[in-house]
Amino acid sequence: MRTCFILLFSLIFINVAAQQKPVDTMFDRQLEEVVVTATRSERKLSNVTVPTTLIAQKTIRQSGSLRLHDILGEQTGLFITQSFGRGVQMQGLSPDYTLILLNGEPLIGRTGGVLDLSRVAVGNIRRIEIVKGPSSSLYGSEALGGVINIITDQATGRKLQADLRYGRFQTIDASLNGTIRSGKLTAGGFVNHNSSQGYSLKPNSLTKTVEPFWRFTGQGNLAYQFNENSRFNLDLRYAKEQIQNSIAVQNLGTVVVSKGRETNQDLNILPSYSYRFNQRLKTSFRGYLSQFRSQQALEVKNLVQGYDDQFRQDFYRIENQTDIHISEKLETNVGGGFIKEYVASNRYDSLSTRRANQVGYVFFQQEWRPVERLTLIAGLRFDANQAYASVWSPKLSLQYRINESWSLTGSAGRGFKAPDFRQLYLNFTNVAAGSYSVFGSLVAKDEVLALQSAGQIDQLMPAFEKLADLKPETSTGLNAGIQYRYGSSGRVQLNIFRNDISNLILTDIIAFKTNGGQIFSYLNISEAFTQGFDVEAGWKFWKYLDVSGGYQFLSTADKAVLEQIDAGQVFKRDEQTGVSSRLTRSDYAGLPGRSKHMANLKFFYNPSSEKWFASARIVYRSGWGTTDLDGNGIINRDDEFAEGFALVNISGGYTVLPGLRVMAGIDNLFNYTDEVNLPGQPGINPYITLSADFGKIRNRSKTK
Amino acid sequence: MKMKTMTVAVLGIALLGTYACSKDDNSGNTNQPIQTVTASNIVADTILGIAPSGQPYGSGKFTFFSLERNTVVPSSDSATNKWDIGFRGTTIITNSGNSGPGQGGAFVFIGLFDDLLTIPADSVFRVDNAPSSYAIPTGSNRGWYVYNAPVNLVTPVPGRVLVIRTATGKYAKLEILNYYRGGVTPAATASDDDKLRNQRFYTFRYRFQPDGTKTF
């Protein structure tokens, strides 16, 4: 590990020579969109070799988005899932397999594999970059489906802005965003309050579908520019949310309501220092500390057992990345780092036992432009892990510009996701619902043997013998695309993708208790694929109307199910007669929770005076499999699907006075709800926002 | 609560009296004049209440059934060879082992009812050893059914045939078609109350071979 590090660094210094680098990123940013996530270094959006989407601050504001899932849910091929909070499904991969970064560092605190996107406020997000396809060659674990990088406002000058929004269900969202500059020091701050009284989709129910909640987010940024080559930056974030959680238990007439509460807290501290030796060599050191604290408590009531579950996760990382501009044709990025992670939970063993894991990693990326039209990028990352096997993650990508308008891209890469603490250490028994237990793979054997010697095990299943050290879940992803650009006013792109996922970790029954209860553990048992294509097009009409649209076609399958179907081992049951018959491939709808068709159409109208704006966005998703109802464990019958739907969101804003803006909007204009499958969709949701830009107001009073 | 118990019990008895059996046509097979019979609404200890643990409970009594005579057998005959299988909730017993004095037994065949024409020679019939094991394994996804917790429904696993050795040592094949009243599974969106009140009513079809051979 250490040897590797030294080798890489010597490589850097050997390669350094003096030559000018012509790219001035500050000016380019004004002219053309620049992204950083695709290559971990600044690139023009039109030059990247992998499918990349950029969402600008203006789009986020004009869409009336408050939380991260609001804006991601309107993007092509992304679907917001509603289990364990809001997760994002990308290229048909579950939320577990998309890495969420905040200013380049991973957000932690996943529940059931899902990082709840509603914990992230978007009020001070400058832009969001979405990279589709496996990206573990740069980012390591979790980057199977892709990477979403949220980049917050960096202080540039003097600014103070306030927003206040009121919406249905007594939703209040208030933000204050300010930056200040004093010589070489810039500082910025953002605070946000978000609360709602929740709502009920079921009339006359004792508990609400979404219970009242409040959230607070505070963010700070401090930057010191020592000189033009040397810069220190500090990003801070603290977020807290509290959600009421009532549970009603019914026993043939008698109802008991128990009050509960969930509290989640995030802390992120990210100091970084970058130094430019010369035009050809730049290095940056980053430190990252993140803590996640979660508590779910329910008071004890007659019939209902109380609980007080706590989960604490700590993530520490140090990292260096060095960028070497060897020549116009060659660009190198190398880096490495060390991660230490701790988790404690009373669902594992006890809060006092901290489970630890550490990872050391190095990565290398080489960009080569043999001819002007062709860009080739090769990347490789090695992760050495204490708790599971080491992983190599390679990636190759290219872009070929046919001419001014047309270009081709292609990429092939590997992604992986490390087994998480839950899959390794969970120790959970649900006494109420059938007395089932779930044990992490590292503790399962001992727990089952202990139960067996206590005479509580009826039968060991074949899966018990298969319990082994979990391997990381891996994917191989292929993306091939064609892009057409018409100046700055139009673009059309098509991307075809295929992801093959191996070693998928799923729960399987390892034993049965004498009382009939099932015991589950985690095993690398499954292989799956997702494939399809997406098309995106955007056109600007008369310089003030932006029309864009997107479509994704998706097909997925569990490979083991396909094999069983081919072997005639999968059956279905006729709903009317109850008679079984053999299932064919065409009956099989693939992985649950995936829509075959997704589409969106968006209009943004921004007259050149910028005095007002209007937008309308339509997001469509076809039906998706929810739960197996005919006992074969797969989705094949019509009633096993949730109904497809389209949401229409509109918004508009008007500048009353310079610096003072009123915005109003209606989300879900046609009041679509689905109580069972979309509990997080409240129906029609009108809102009004007042925004004040104190800088502009002051300027105006000065000119008077 | 007492009143409610009574009502459910009376309802149960009433249904016991009105269970229906129908016979399908068996054209095209003249060598074997045996028929596929469908039994509907066989009550299997309907739910009387829910224990504080959250588990529903009934009276604990089995409903006994004779495949040979296609009829429900009274509880008083439980210690005889007059019955072949018994139902209580999701548990199905055979007249074997410690469940009854008969020569019964069973195993679960994976495949289609119509495809099982001869019981394979290497088949192993299991016998009951209550309460720890049964010829037809109990529990979700172990024997004939799967319990879907999120929607609170019990569904027979498709492609599972219960191969039964009767009390008198003859053979039958049996497919559970439904676990709910009238052979209609409540909608996933139905209330838990509906799902509990209407469960434990078996609909199944079977084919009994009276000549003692293993072919159907």
Side-chain angles (χ1 to χ4, degrees):
Chain A
M1 175 69 215
R2 182 162 292 164
T3 333
C4 255
F5 228 97
I6 294 167
L7 268 174
L8 278 168
F9 273 96
S10 17
L11 187 80
I12 299 162
F13 290 104
I14 291 161
N15 276 314
V16 176
Q19 201 180 337
Q20 290 293 311
K21 186 182 179 177
V23 181
D24 186 340
T25 50
M26 277 315 282
F27 277 101
D28 271 342
R29 195 169 294 156
Q30 314 289 326
L31 299 170
E32 204 192 337
E33 296 160 324
V34 168
V35 290
V36 297
T37 313
T39 55
R40 278 183 88 127
S41 54
E42 292 187 334
R43 287 285 184 287
K44 288 179 189 167
L45 183 58
S46 59
N47 279 356
V48 294
T49 52
V50 291
T52 304
T53 307
L54 189 147
I55 310 169
Q57 187 165 42
K58 194 173 173 183
T59 310
I60 298 171
R61 286 190 78 88
Q62 295 194 346
S63 303
S65 297
L66 295 178
R67 317 303 293 185
L68 188 53
H69 64 86
D70 293 329
I71 189 69
L72 292 183
E74 296 188 354
Q75 308 308 313
T76 304
L78 302 191
F79 182 74
I80 303 303
T81 60
Q82 298 194 356
S83 170
F84 297 110
R86 307 303 179 84
V88 61
Q89 187 190 94
M90 194 190 277
Q91 288 195 345
L93 272 74
S94 299
D96 312 39
Y97 307 108
T98 291
L99 179 64
I100 311 288
L101 302 173
L102 179 70
N103 291 319
E105 296 293 330
L107 286 175
I108 61 161
R110 287 175 181 257
T111 309
V114 178
L115 190 98
D116 185 359
L117 303 173
S118 64
R119 297 210 312 260
V120 183
V122 298
N124 69 331
I125 291 177
R126 181 154 48 116
R127 64 179 197 273
I128 300 169
E129 298 182 13
I130 301 163
V131 173
K132 292 179 182 173
S135 308
S136 291
S137 65
L138 288 172
Y139 295 101
S141 182
E142 294 178 7
L144 282 89
V147 180
I148 295 175
N149 193 1
I150 304 144
I151 296 158
T152 55
D153 266 337
Q154 301 292 308
T156 45
R158 214 179 153 104
K159 186 179 91 172
L160 186 64
Q161 205 175 331
D163 296 276
L164 179 65
R165 161 157 152 172
Y166 185 80
R168 198 181 165 200
F169 315 116
Q170 297 179 45
T171 303
I172 297 168
D173 191 88
S175 293
L176 201 61
N177 197 359
T179 61
I180 192 163
R181 182 178 198 134
S182 166
K184 292 174 170 177
L185 184 75
T186 50
F190 168 76
V191 285
N192 171 265
H193 164 93
N194 175 257
S195 65
S196 164
Q197 281 307 301
Y199 54 86
S200 195
L201 291 174
K202 224 181 203 168
N204 307 320
S205 62
L206 290 156
T207 56
K208 288 183 167 181
T209 312
V210 168
E211 298 275 346
F213 62 83
W214 66 260
R215 302 184 179 112
F216 168 81
T217 306
Q219 271 176 276
N221 169 257
L222 195 71
Y224 190 82
Q225 188 88 35
F226 295 96
N227 55 54
E228 59 176 1
N229 292 323
S230 166
R231 180 185 165 91
F232 172 80
N233 191 76
L234 179 66
D235 284 313
L236 303 167
R237 174 176 174 266
Y238 172 74
K240 181 174 182 174
E241 67 174 2
Q242 209 161 79
I243 307 156
Q244 281 185 27
N245 181 17
S246 300
I247 293 177
V249 171
Q250 211 168 341
N251 178 28
L252 298 179
T254 324
V255 178
V256 176
V257 179
S258 294
K259 286 249 180 272
R261 199 170 66 186
E262 178 180 344
T263 310
N264 297 311
Q265 295 177 82
D266 279 279
L267 176 69
N268 315 80
I269 301 172
L270 166 57
S272 65
Y273 173 76
S274 62
Y275 184 75
R276 190 186 289 275
F277 292 92
N278 52 46
Q279 293 293 352
R280 314 193 59 186
L281 180 68
K282 185 188 159 192
T283 190
S284 53
F285 293 90
R286 295 161 71 91
Y288 182 55
L289 178 159
S290 184
Q291 293 186 330
F292 176 69
R293 298 284 179 270
S294 179
Q295 182 175 18
Q296 293 186 30
L298 191 78
E299 67 183 53
V300 189
K301 275 249 176 105
N302 183 26
L303 286 177
V304 182
Q305 288 197 322
Y307 55 78
D308 182 6
D309 283 336
Q310 295 194 41
F311 178 82
R312 299 174 185 165
Q313 186 180 7
D314 296 79
F315 184 96
Y316 305 97
R317 164 149 100 178
I318 49 164
E319 185 180 80
N320 170 268
Q321 182 183 331
T322 302
D323 307 325
I324 313 144
H325 184 74
I326 299 164
S327 72
E328 272 313 291
K329 291 183 173 176
L330 288 170
E331 176 111 22
T332 306
N333 312 98
V334 291
F338 184 76
I339 298 168
K340 186 105 193 176
E341 201 175 356
Y342 298 97
V343 163
S345 170
N346 50 338
R347 285 218 166 173
Y348 298 171
D349 359 60
S350 74
L351 279 173
S352 52
T353 313
R354 286 214 302 179
R355 299 288 190 176
N357 187 28
Q358 51 194 36
V359 185
Y361 61 91
V362 284
F363 62 87
F364 174 83
Q365 180 180 253
Q366 182 65 52
E367 180 171 331
W368 181 41
R369 277 190 296 272
V371 290
E372 209 189 314
R373 289 179 168 193
L374 182 67
T375 305
L376 293 163
I377 299 179
L380 183 65
R381 172 163 162 148
F382 178 71
D383 286 76
N385 194 302
Q386 191 188 38
Y388 60 91
S390 307
V391 192
W392 289 95
S393 310
K395 182 159 183 171
L396 276 172
S397 60
L398 65 87
Q399 184 197 42
Y400 182 73
R401 288 161 174 271
I402 301 164
N403 55 38
E404 283 278 287
S405 301
W406 292 92
S407 61
L408 300 171
T409 53
S411 61
R414 293 243 299 163
F416 78 95
K417 179 178 179 293
D420 60 29
F421 285 94
R422 164 186 58 122
Q423 293 161 337
L424 298 174
Y425 301 116
L426 186 65
N427 183 343
F428 173 69
T429 298
N430 188 336
V431 190
S435 150
Y436 70 88
S437 299
V438 190
F439 297 130
S441 74
L442 289 182
V443 296
K445 220 155 210 168
D446 289 346
E447 292 292 336
V448 170
L449 292 176
L451 285 170
Q452 195 171 34
S453 56
Q456 290 185 41
I457 296 295
D458 173 22
Q459 187 191 357
L460 293 176
M461 298 301 283
F464 180 77
E465 298 306 321
K466 291 184 197 155
L467 277 173
D469 285 353
L470 285 178
K471 285 177 271 190
E473 299 169 278
T474 55
S475 76
T476 305
L478 295 171
N479 281 274
I482 180 161
Q483 296 83 30
Y484 173 77
R485 276 175 180 266
Y486 183 78
S488 61
S489 64
R491 64 184 169 84
V492 182
Q493 59 194 56
L494 166 78
N495 185 55
I496 301 168
F497 60 87
R498 160 107 183 176
N499 294 295
D500 283 277
I501 306 127
S502 319
N503 289 330
L504 265 180
I505 297 173
L506 296 177
T507 52
D508 200 359
I509 299 170
I510 55 168
F512 285 94
K513 295 184 213 177
T514 45
N515 64 2
Q518 302 165 321
I519 302 177
F520 297 90
S521 188
Y522 297 91
L523 290 107
N524 291 106
I525 38 176
S526 187
E527 296 197 335
F529 70 79
T530 73
Q531 62 185 14
F533 65 88
D534 60 52
V535 188
E536 282 190 284
W539 219 268
K540 205 171 193 123
F541 295 97
W542 313 293
K543 289 199 171 163
Y544 40 76
L545 178 63
D546 271 302
V547 181
S548 64
Y551 169 79
Q552 177 182 274
F553 173 84
L554 179 68
S555 135
T556 63
D558 179 329
K559 291 184 186 176
V561 170
L562 288 182
E563 278 171 27
Q564 283 168 6
I565 291 173
D566 292 346
Q569 292 292 306
V570 186
F571 307 91
K572 58 182 175 179
R573 186 178 294 281
D574 185 281
E575 217 176 331
Q576 257 70 49
T577 64
V579 168
S580 299
S581 61
R582 239 174 215 107
L583 192 130
T584 61
R585 271 193 183 222
S586 59
D587 292 321
Y588 176 48
L591 305 174
R594 273 74 181 173
S595 291
K596 204 170 198 174
H597 310 283
M598 286 176 65
N600 63 73
L601 184 62
K602 297 179 233 178
F603 303 88
F604 284 90
Y605 187 79
N606 275 288
S608 50
S609 68
E610 292 199 347
K611 198 147 175 72
W612 62 282
F613 80 88
S615 88
R617 290 110 48 213
I618 305 160
V619 181
Y620 168 77
R621 162 174 212 212
S622 67
W624 66 98
T626 54
T627 184
D628 164 49
L629 292 174
D630 63 355
N632 57 14
I634 62 166
I635 304 296
N636 58 288
R637 224 166 62 176
D638 285 350
D639 59 348
E640 296 173 351
F641 282 82
E643 248 179 86
F645 66 93
L647 294 182
V648 177
N649 305 327
I650 56 168
S651 61
Y654 182 73
T655 306
V656 186
L657 299 162
L660 198 65
R661 176 165 265 202
V662 182
M663 177 176 157
I666 303 172
D667 285 344
N668 194 357
L669 187 62
F670 297 104
N671 197 25
Y672 183 82
T673 56
D674 180 342
E675 174 205 324
V676 176
N677 301 304
L678 296 170
Q681 175 50 259
I684 187 166
N685 190 7
Y687 60 88
I688 184 158
T689 309
L690 289 173
S691 302
D693 187 329
F694 295 107
K696 281 182 185 164
I697 294 171
R698 205 172 61 129
N699 287 345
R700 186 177 148 265
S701 38
K702 265 185 186 168
T703 50
K704 264 185 182 170
Chain B
M1 196 62 205
K2 193 136 211 175
M3 196 57 211
K4 192 162 281 168
T5 316
M6 290 277 288
T7 333
V8 174
V10 168
L11 188 75
I13 290 159
L15 276 154
L16 263 174
T18 59
Y19 75 90
C21 293
S22 65
K23 295 186 180 191
D24 293 354
D25 253 337
N26 188 36
S27 51
N29 200 342
T30 45
N31 291 338
Q32 294 170 328
I34 61 170
Q35 289 173 311
T36 297
V37 179
T38 300
S40 312
N41 278 327
I42 304 299
V43 176
D45 193 22
T46 47
I47 292 167
L48 301 175
I50 294 173
S53 68
Q55 300 274 30
Y57 63 88
S59 67
K61 292 219 165 95
F62 282 92
T63 298
F64 299 101
F65 192 88
S66 166
L67 297 171
E68 189 159 0
R69 288 178 294 123
N70 184 24
T71 182
V72 169
V73 177
S75 294
S76 50
D77 286 335
S78 64
T80 68
N81 275 356
K82 290 179 180 170
W83 63 276
D84 301 312
I85 49 173
F87 302 91
R88 186 188 68 197
T90 53
T91 304
I92 301 176
I93 54 171
T94 51
N95 197 338
S96 71
N98 61 2
S99 291
Q103 309 163 39
F107 71 93
V108 179
F109 171 82
I110 298 177
L112 292 176
F113 185 82
D114 292 337
D115 290 356
L116 181 67
L117 299 173
T118 303
I119 300 170
D122 58 352
S123 300
V124 178
F125 281 83
R126 291 155 49 98
V127 295
D128 288 0
N129 183 23
S132 62
S133 89
Y134 294 88
I136 299 160
T138 55
S140 175
N141 236 332
R142 286 179 92 182
W144 66 271
Y145 76 95
V146 58
Y147 172 62
N148 184 337
V151 296
N152 193 15
L153 287 173
V154 172
T155 313
V157 178
R160 297 288 181 277
V161 182
L162 308 183
V163 184
I164 313 277
R165 191 170 63 209
T166 66
T168 54
K170 291 170 180 167
Y171 297 98
K173 60 176 178 176
L174 185 152
E175 182 181 20
I176 310 288
L177 303 175
N178 202 290
Y179 185 61
Y180 291 87
R181 194 197 300 265
V184 179
T185 307
T189 50
S191 72
D192 281 348
D193 221 37
D194 272 355
K195 289 170 182 170
L196 292 178
R197 285 181 197 283
N198 290 309
Q199 65 167 256
R200 307 195 177 189
F201 293 83
Y202 279 84
T203 298
F204 58 89
R205 61 171 176 163
Y206 69 94
R207 213 168 162 85
F208 170 72
Q209 177 52 274
D211 68 7
T213 64
K214 292 183 171 182
T215 51
F216 300 106

